[in-house]
Each structure stands twice: as C-alpha cells, then as structure tokens.
Amino acid sequence: MAPKSSNFSKEEELLLQDFGRDLTRKSSLIFYMHAIFVSALPLWLFNRIHQMELTEHAILFAIGTLVSTYLVASAYKNNKFQLKHKVAQKRSDGVAAEINSQMAENDSKKVSKKEKDERILWRKNEVAEAESMQLAVVYSNSVFLILLILLSFFFFKSYSPMINYIISMIGASGITALLSTSSKN
Amino acid sequence: MKLYLGIVLLLLTAFAKGDDEKAKIILVKRILNDIITERNDLAIEYNLYNIGDGVATDVELADSSFHESDFELISGMTSVKWSRINAGSNVTHAIVVQPLRAGDFNFTSAVVQYVSEKGVDVTFGYSNEIGEQEILSLKEYNRLHASHMMEWGLFALWCMPSIDVPLLLYYLSKRKYSKKVKKN
C-alpha cells in the first residue's frame, strides 16, 4: 500500500506521471492558453457576421468565453490522457534508440541497465506527454470549431444573435467535453 | 331557309353586342424584389389589362400607399394617366422607392379610374392587396444575406495557430522518432 506522503521512488513517480490524469503547471498553463484563444475566436464571427457589438454584449461574451474555456480545457485533459498511452507505445522503440545512441556517444562511463531503463521511461513519458498534448489540442479544437460553425450557421441560423451565441458556445464546448469523456477500448 | 335565318340571327347578335361594348380594367400590383431592405431600392410594377370589349379612356392609376414619411420616391410617378387602353391590350408601369425605416409595412391596393364607355360615369377599380411585408434593417440583411467571404477568410487565418501549429509540432516529433527506429 502506497504511503500517504509523497515519498515515492523515482520509478513510482514516473509511473504516476505516466498513468495519472494530473497535469503539471506548465501543461495546465499551455492548455488554458489554447482554450482561451480558441474560445475567443468565435467573437470575431459573432461580431462581423451576426452583427453583435462587442461593447453591447461584453458581459455575455465574457461569460461565454470563460465557460467555453473551462469546458474545452477539460476536453484537452481527457483527450490527452487517452492519447498518451497510445503515443507512448508507438514511440517506445524510437525513444529507446535515441537513448541508446546518446549512451553510445558518451561511453566513457558504464551505465547500469536499470539507469538506462529509467532514462528510457522518463524520456518516453516526456515525448508522449508533449505529443499527446499537441494531438489533444488539435482534435479538441477541430471538434469545437466544426460544432460551433454547424450550430451557429446552420441549425440555429434564424435565431436571434444572442440566443444563437449562448446555444452555439455552450453546445459546442459542452459536446466537445462530453465526447472527450468517452473511452475507446 | 334555315341557313338564311341563322345568318340573320348572327347579324342581330353582332349588332346587339356592338351596342354594349364596355371596357373592363384589371389592375395587378407586384413587388419585384425578393427581399425588401431599408435604404435599398424597391421596385413596384403595375399591370393594367383591359379584358373588356370596349376601349377604356381617361385611364388614371394612383397609388397613395408610399407616403413620403415612409418611402422616398427614386424613380417613376405614383399617379399616371393614359388617354386610352384598347380592348384586349395591356399597359405596364413601374416605380422605384426606398423604404426609410425597417419593420413591418402593410402594402395596400392601388386605384384605377377610367371611362368604360361613352356617356357613362367614371369606373373605379382596385388592385390586389399585397399585405404586410417585412422590411429588413441593413444590419439584419447583412447578417442573413451578405457573403462574408473576407470574414470567413480571416477566421480561417485566426484558426491556424490553434490547429496547424500543434499538428506541425506533433508531426515533427513523430518523424524524428520514426527516423531513429529506421536508422537502428
């Protein structure tokens, strides 16, 4: 049974990072920056096409953007968690080859197998983390933007701009977050 | 004998008909625009058909539904006269106006007055009533019908950093680790 304090071995910490849902501060910051950027993009469409003045609807836009940011960021987190294992499996050989070639270049001191395996695991985790984050952002943003365009310019086109904005933003970000919670085995 | 009687009857009918030749004007009013927008030209067409047997004289068309507080007259006249419209013929008149305000507007009938036959009082007729039509504001018109090509183009440009950049980074990393596997 794991101790309640954070006295884990390096291997256990790596495993936790690998299998855990928690994000590092840097990852969270990147996700929220992407989420707020993609949530603010529709403001351009609603201002120029639906003719909604930014100053008149500032409060609505602020609330909509914040709600969407939260939902899209949670979609990123869920998608990244699901993609990370698949990416880690695919990059396993490539990372092992990279570490082996690095060690071959610095063959002045002998490295134990255990240390080599730890380095491979750490590097694999790092690469899988980065790639799964990038893929999660691409996938979630694409789904969000496509849903937003469909909802706003096809299904709810004839609704008043304000109702259109509320339904489209919450609908698109909500469905994106919902889709990210589905698990594919 | 029968043939002789038939010809006499036919001639009598012709003369009888000739005495009752009266004009009858049908007035049709049409809006030529599909969409009516504030401050955009609106074309109205009037078609007058003389479906009677006689010539209509002193024909006068008048449409007072386009008051200057609601519409600006751009081209044509709302009151027009024709000295005669022959039997079986038609005339067309068109005007162009610009609505000054957005909202619902009730397009009422135009009036035609004419003399259907000599010595008879003026006859009045009314066109069809188009009824209530929506006049869109410019803002609403642009929202629904403008192409917005530039706006969509710029939107596609703004989307690129959030989709293309992470995708590029992913592919660069993927290629790097695929190459290392192939090398070994």
Side-chain angles (χ1 to χ4, degrees):
Chain A
M1 197 168 129
K4 283 182 184 176
S5 66
S6 55
N7 290 336
F8 296 119
S9 70
K10 207 172 172 184
E11 214 173 78
E12 281 166 345
E13 269 186 32
L14 279 169
L15 282 169
L16 272 171
Q17 267 180 46
D18 200 24
F19 293 103
R21 278 183 180 267
D22 293 338
L23 297 171
T24 61
R25 276 180 95 178
K26 185 184 166 189
S27 301
S28 281
L29 185 67
I30 292 170
F31 273 171
Y32 274 102
M33 277 176 62
H34 272 290
I36 206 162
F37 181 77
V38 85
S39 299
L41 276 175
L43 295 180
W44 164 260
L45 288 180
F46 281 91
N47 175 242
R48 296 302 295 262
I49 297 177
H50 287 295
Q51 308 280 315
M52 286 177 79
E53 295 298 326
L54 289 174
T55 45
E56 265 179 46
H57 302 96
I59 295 170
L60 174 70
F61 285 152
I63 293 170
T65 304
L66 288 172
V67 169
S68 173
T69 300
Y70 174 75
L71 290 169
V72 170
S74 68
Y76 290 158
K77 194 174 156 183
N78 294 333
N79 282 325
K80 177 232 157 194
F81 176 72
Q82 287 174 22
L83 288 166
K84 192 171 176 182
H85 301 295
K86 293 177 192 171
V87 172
Q89 282 169 1
K90 286 180 184 175
R91 299 290 168 261
S92 187
D93 293 343
V95 168
E98 184 191 40
I99 300 295
N100 286 332
S101 67
Q102 276 176 4
M103 287 189 170
E105 280 168 16
N106 310 329
D107 63 355
S108 53
K109 61 172 190 176
K110 261 196 167 178
V111 178
S112 68
K113 191 179 181 302
K114 191 183 171 190
E115 199 181 319
K116 195 169 102 173
D117 286 344
E118 266 180 22
R119 274 201 205 177
I120 289 172
L121 190 63
W122 173 82
R123 183 68 186 144
K124 194 171 76 172
N125 183 62
E126 207 181 43
V127 169
E129 176 86 3
E131 285 194 17
S132 60
M133 275 177 65
Q134 287 146 14
L135 268 183
V137 165
V138 169
Y139 176 73
S140 304
N141 285 353
S142 305
V143 170
F144 171 72
L145 290 170
I146 288 168
L147 281 171
L148 180 92
I149 290 166
L150 282 174
L151 289 172
S152 180
F153 295 96
F154 289 95
F155 295 119
F156 301 106
K157 187 181 175 180
S158 56
Y159 283 49
S160 79
M162 208 166 86
I163 305 290
N164 190 322
Y165 178 77
I166 294 168
I167 296 175
S168 305
M169 284 297 280
I170 293 176
S173 55
I175 294 170
T176 305
L178 193 67
L179 288 173
S180 72
T181 59
S182 68
S183 57
K184 295 171 194 171
N185 291 324
Chain B
M1 183 66 177
K2 278 183 185 175
L3 178 66
Y4 176 72
L5 274 169
I7 291 166
V8 165
L9 276 166
L10 194 66
L11 284 166
L12 280 169
T13 320
F15 280 122
K17 217 176 165 184
D19 287 343
D20 291 341
E21 279 182 2
K22 276 178 97 173
K24 188 171 172 64
I25 302 254
I26 302 287
L27 173 60
V28 177
K29 179 176 171 181
R30 280 198 315 144
I31 292 178
L32 300 179
N33 290 38
D34 292 329
I35 301 161
I36 307 170
T37 315
E38 177 194 7
R39 295 283 171 195
N40 272 350
D41 288 350
L42 168 62
I44 316 284
E45 189 184 71
Y46 304 91
N47 291 302
L48 293 94
Y49 302 93
N50 184 357
I51 61 168
D53 300 318
V55 177
T57 53
D58 299 327
V59 182
E60 193 173 329
L61 165 71
D63 193 347
S64 58
S65 46
F66 301 108
H67 198 263
E68 58 187 25
S69 61
D70 298 318
F71 292 89
E72 185 188 339
L73 185 64
I74 304 297
S75 166
M77 293 179 288
T78 54
S79 187
V80 169
K81 287 181 186 174
W82 292 271
S83 56
R84 60 189 284 129
I85 300 176
N86 290 333
S89 65
N90 62 292
V91 293
T92 303
H93 176 66
I95 62 169
V96 177
V97 295
Q98 263 190 16
L100 299 175
R101 271 193 295 272
D104 292 334
F105 187 81
N106 190 18
F107 290 86
T108 54
S109 307
V111 178
V112 63
Q113 67 179 54
Y114 59 97
V115 175
S116 59
E117 62 178 341
K118 264 188 185 174
V120 170
D121 288 341
V122 168
T123 306
F124 287 90
Y126 296 90
S127 74
N128 55 307
E129 203 176 282
I130 293 168
E132 210 163 79
Q133 301 288 318
E134 193 188 357
I135 300 174
L136 292 178
S137 63
L138 264 176
K139 204 173 163 180
E140 191 63 21
Y141 175 78
N142 285 336
R143 190 174 93 82
L144 294 171
H145 301 286
S147 67
H148 300 291
M149 293 298 283
M150 200 184 80
E151 281 81 5
W152 282 111
L154 285 171
F155 178 71
L157 202 68
W158 306 142
C159 287
M160 280 173 69
S162 61
I163 294 174
D164 294 351
V165 169
L167 195 63
L168 181 69
L169 291 172
Y170 167 75
Y171 272 112
L172 286 173
S173 176
K174 181 184 171 186
R175 209 169 65 167
K176 178 184 167 187
Y177 288 98
S178 307
K179 265 187 184 170
K180 286 198 186 300
V181 172
K182 280 180 189 171
K183 211 175 168 183
N184 281 13

